[in-house]
Amino acid sequence: LLAFVPVLLLNDLVSFFEAGADTATYKGFAHPWVEVFGLFLFPLLVSLFQTRHTVIMSHCATYTRAAVSTLIYQKSLRVSAAGKAQTSTGQIVNMMSNDAFQLQ
């Protein structure tokens, strides 16, 4: 939502300059210099919020993958001897890794 604010500010500034650039009769969002500062500030805030969101989601994905790997590993320890005889250890590890990666 914040990504659209610079577009609105720029539209307001263009209308200000088209009207003759008179601050006395200007009826925009704010003073033109405040809007120019907003053109710098809002993209900066959007970038900071998106970066923070990406970091949080990466941490959640890592925690989820670790939890799923732990659950699958615990389940593999409880598999009976007959079940272990049907598949090799490498296949079990490969399936565990693929399942955990798909959840991430």
Side-chain angles (χ1 to χ4, degrees):
L1 192 60
L2 281 178
F4 294 110
V5 173
V7 174
L8 296 173
L9 291 176
L10 193 58
N11 184 29
D12 200 36
L13 281 172
V14 167
S15 66
F16 168 71
F17 285 113
E18 284 178 349
D22 184 21
T23 56
T25 60
Y26 179 61
K27 297 197 186 306
F29 295 124
H31 193 275
W33 284 111
V34 174
E35 291 180 354
V36 169
F37 180 71
L39 287 175
F40 166 76
L41 181 67
F42 283 107
L44 179 69
L45 289 175
V46 168
S47 175
L48 290 174
F49 290 147
Q50 285 178 344
T51 303
R52 184 65 184 147
H53 171 76
T54 302
V55 168
I56 290 171
M57 290 299 114
S58 296
H59 283 150
C60 288
T62 303
Y63 292 142
T64 302
R65 184 174 180 184
V68 169
S69 295
T70 302
L71 289 172
I72 293 173
Y73 179 72
Q74 289 174 350
K75 175 66 177 173
S76 69
L77 292 177
R78 289 184 268 138
V79 174
S80 65
K84 288 180 186 176
Q86 292 177 353
T87 57
S88 68
T89 304
Q91 287 176 324
I92 293 173
V93 170
N94 192 18
M95 286 188 286
M96 286 172 42
S97 175
N98 288 339
D99 290 344
F101 184 73
Q102 286 177 359
L103 280 176
Q104 185 180 5

